[in-house]
Amino acid sequence: MASLNVGNLGDYLREQRRNAKLSLRQLADAAGVSNPYLSQIERGLRKPSAEVLQQVAKALRISAETLYVRAGILDAERDRDEVETRAVILADPTLTEAQKQALLQIYESFRKENGFETVRESHADGDGRDDGRTGQRTDIPEPGGDTGPQQTAS
């Protein structure tokens, strides 16, 4: 019997797929997984790996972290606020991808400044791949880093 988290994940994926107006086959093709496997995930019969969740999230253009929480991979209580904030930013259809990434960088900068670790930092695997947000590379400098030439007072 499937666990409650996996069932919730499947229901959520089905809802997101329908909102994106994608058939099961279209999403499976876009995510690079088999149609039967994706169907089993949606029905709560399979628990996908973090890698599969990341591929599905990219295909749906949603936050992989949200899927990780729903699958029980991330600690929901500790990470909920940050994940929800990220999900809202990434799901906003009125923002461009560049604007979404800029907002996420600013958000991370403020959290870091206030002494909070981000989900990205606390669950980093250090492999240099995508960090789970839609196309976000881990090699982009953090906000507040090099800001170009600085003028000095004489």
Side-chain angles (χ1 to χ4, degrees):
M1 181 172 291
S3 72
L4 184 59
N5 278 347
V6 177
N8 286 340
L9 171 66
D11 293 341
Y12 180 75
L13 282 177
R14 183 178 299 115
E15 178 184 329
Q16 293 301 309
R17 177 177 58 78
R18 289 178 177 164
N19 287 343
K21 295 180 174 42
L22 293 173
S23 70
L24 190 65
R25 186 173 308 281
Q26 288 171 320
L27 178 57
D29 288 344
V33 298
S34 74
N35 189 38
Y37 182 62
L38 185 58
S39 175
Q40 290 173 344
I41 294 169
E42 282 193 358
R43 290 181 287 140
L45 302 176
R46 297 278 183 169
K47 184 172 183 177
S49 68
E51 183 177 331
V52 168
L53 288 175
Q54 183 175 352
Q55 291 169 227
V56 171
K58 282 184 179 182
L60 288 171
R61 300 181 63 80
I62 62 173
S63 165
E65 287 131 342
T66 301
L67 296 183
Y68 296 160
V69 168
R70 291 197 178 258
I73 295 171
L74 289 182
D75 179 6
E77 292 302 317
R78 195 185 79 172
D79 299 331
R80 177 171 286 136
D81 290 341
E82 183 179 356
V83 170
E84 287 178 357
T85 301
R86 290 176 181 282
V88 167
I89 291 170
L90 291 169
D92 189 331
T94 64
L95 299 174
T96 67
E97 288 303 313
Q99 290 169 331
K100 290 175 185 180
Q101 296 310 318
L103 279 173
L104 288 171
Q105 287 180 346
I106 292 166
Y107 176 67
E108 286 177 11
S109 172
F110 285 147
R111 284 185 57 88
K112 195 172 191 176
E113 184 178 303
N114 293 332
F116 291 96
E117 186 177 32
T118 64
V119 171
R120 178 173 135 189
E121 292 167 343
S122 65
H123 296 89
D125 57 6
D127 64 1
R129 288 184 293 173
D130 182 303
D131 72 358
R133 294 182 306 211
T134 307
Q136 179 67 31
R137 295 187 333 250
T138 56
D139 60 346
I140 295 174
E142 290 293 323
D146 182 26
T147 57
Q150 301 291 319
Q151 291 184 339
T152 56
S154 300

